[in-house]
Amino acid sequence: MPLSTLNAQQKEASEAPCGHNLIIASAGTGKTSTIVGRISHLLQNGITPNEILLLTFTNKAAQEMLARLAMKFDSKIIQQIEAGTFHAVAYRYLKSKESVILKQPKELKVLFKSLYDKRIFLNASCVSPYGANYLYDLFSLYFNATINEDFKSWLERKNSEQLQYVEIYLDVWEEFKALKNEYHSLKA
């Protein structure tokens, strides 16, 4: 994307000095063209393509920007730019690490359930314990929804009737974590 096709604000953003820059733009203002212009400017000014990280909200957006850049630069250069969604880039990074094994959530649920199934739940009341899959999802919710609250306190607020099983639940989770760590597994 030649910088000459950009308006004054887009050109200013594309040529901004290196460092932290914040550009606020609404829909239809040419953000894609500006980002493509920025990458062109960087490449023309000595930044190597493998030093550029292009994070987008959709894979389609990343591919569109790379396609526009390919009209101006050799495809070998464009292929060296790390581009994609936040999740795709993070996944590729983790996958490249030899010490990390990525597992699909379904595989981890099977492991969790196998550990859960070894437990014996004695009912002090007529309240049944959570099932393995529900408990796995509940732990996921807990870790994504809290910062400083321990699981027991959180469970008490959510469903105090389940507190009779909290030690078993925590035991299953600790064994699950230990096995994941032993095998260097992460959720994909």
Side-chain angles (χ1 to χ4, degrees):
M1 161 119 318
L3 294 178
S4 61
T5 63
L6 302 176
N7 67 32
Q9 292 85 7
Q10 293 168 328
K11 189 170 190 253
E12 181 182 357
S14 294
E15 295 177 333
C18 286
H20 301 289
N21 295 294
L22 173 63
I23 310 298
I24 299 172
S26 60
T29 57
K31 293 181 294 295
T32 299
S33 297
T34 303
I35 293 169
V36 170
R38 175 65 174 174
I39 294 172
S40 295
H41 176 75
L42 294 172
L43 291 171
Q44 292 168 341
N45 286 283
I47 302 297
T48 59
N50 63 343
E51 294 178 291
I52 297 173
L53 173 62
L54 172 61
L55 292 176
T56 60
F57 287 105
T58 66
N59 286 315
K60 182 181 175 186
Q63 293 309 311
E64 181 182 339
M65 289 184 217
L66 293 175
R68 289 189 194 185
L69 287 162
M71 289 189 263
K72 183 172 183 177
F73 297 96
D74 186 281
S75 63
K76 290 178 183 171
I77 291 172
I78 303 308
Q79 290 171 354
Q80 294 176 54
I81 296 173
E82 185 67 56
T85 64
F86 296 88
H87 292 101
V89 170
Y91 181 79
R92 285 194 302 268
Y93 173 77
L94 289 172
K95 200 170 179 181
S96 73
K97 300 297 173 192
E98 291 179 20
S99 62
V100 174
I101 299 167
L102 294 172
K103 295 285 185 188
Q104 294 298 325
K106 185 177 180 180
E107 294 174 286
L108 293 174
K109 275 189 174 183
V110 169
L111 172 61
F112 185 85
K113 185 176 182 331
S114 72
L115 300 173
Y116 175 94
D117 288 345
K118 294 178 186 176
R119 302 317 196 271
I120 298 172
F121 294 88
L122 300 175
N123 293 25
S125 67
C126 59
V127 176
S128 296
Y130 290 138
N133 287 336
Y134 184 83
L135 183 60
Y136 180 90
D137 292 339
L138 190 70
F139 271 112
S140 181
L141 175 63
Y142 162 72
F143 288 114
N144 287 309
T146 63
I147 296 175
N148 296 324
E149 190 174 18
D150 64 270
F151 182 74
K152 186 175 181 178
S153 301
W154 184 80
L155 183 61
E156 185 173 20
R157 280 191 309 105
K158 297 294 180 188
N159 188 351
S160 62
E161 293 178 339
Q162 288 291 319
L163 279 179
Q164 62 185 311
Y165 305 115
V166 73
E167 296 306 321
I168 298 171
Y169 294 161
L170 288 168
D171 187 54
V172 172
W173 185 258
E174 289 304 315
E175 186 177 357
F176 175 71
K177 270 188 0 188
L179 277 173
K180 279 183 18 179
N181 287 340
E182 182 181 336
Y183 293 104
H184 306 283
S185 295
L186 292 176
K187 184 164 82 173

